[in-house]
Amino acid sequence: TTNTYKWDKYSAIFGGHYTYGENADDVSVRNWDINAKSERELSPKVSIVLGELIEGNRFTDIKARYNSDLGLKYYYDKTDKLKFFSELSYRYTIEDRYIDPENTYDHKARLYNEFDQKYSD
């Protein structure tokens, strides 16, 4: 699920998911995430973004992965029917694993694109 709240030039986005599956009494999938993002509009096409994503996946030996993002969002088109944007951000990741090495720390660049077309009400 994802929920967005907007006021003036600010947006708050919250979301998450949990997936669990069994096959013949064996767990075949178990993963989850929760996320929060804050966005401040600098101009009609550019926003600054601050976000946190916490996720886990037992089958890839991740107890919890903490992703902290700081970056910019650029809107190519932003109307009621069409939303098309890119985000470029710096990501700092702390990964808590079930196996050694127990904790890892990484610096990353993140590029995210989204295209959302509304065809009818």
Side-chain angles (χ1 to χ4, degrees):
T1 182
T2 301
N3 301 291
T4 302
Y5 304 95
K6 294 182 181 187
W7 63 99
D8 295 329
K9 295 183 180 225
Y10 295 92
S11 295
I13 302 125
F14 303 96
H17 90 277
Y18 180 77
T19 305
Y20 178 86
E22 290 183 0
N23 185 12
D25 294 330
D26 289 330
V27 176
S28 57
V29 63
R30 182 172 50 213
N31 60 62
W32 58 272
D33 78 61
I34 56 173
N35 58 74
K37 188 182 290 188
S38 174
E39 184 178 324
R40 166 63 161 91
E41 185 179 291
L42 301 175
S43 73
K45 291 202 172 263
V46 178
S47 297
I48 190 165
V49 178
L50 178 65
E52 183 70 21
L53 167 66
I54 305 169
E55 58 189 336
N57 188 332
R58 178 66 183 103
F59 292 98
T60 57
D61 291 321
I62 298 170
K63 283 184 198 174
R65 181 186 295 144
Y66 305 89
N67 298 298
S68 304
D69 297 327
L70 176 61
L72 293 173
K73 179 185 272 190
Y74 181 79
Y75 286 94
Y76 302 100
D77 203 346
K78 185 164 81 169
T79 63
D80 290 339
K81 297 239 179 211
L82 176 66
K83 207 179 293 178
F84 178 35
F85 65 85
S86 293
E87 285 182 18
L88 179 62
S89 60
Y90 162 76
R91 174 172 277 185
Y92 180 66
T93 300
I94 301 171
E95 198 169 274
D96 185 10
R97 304 181 67 84
Y98 288 103
I99 58 173
D100 288 332
E102 190 172 318
N103 290 336
T104 60
Y105 308 89
D106 294 308
H107 301 271
K108 304 172 184 177
R110 176 180 173 267
L111 177 61
Y112 175 82
N113 297 300
E114 184 172 312
F115 182 86
D116 186 13
Q117 173 71 50
K118 185 177 180 181
Y119 290 102
S120 68
D121 291 330

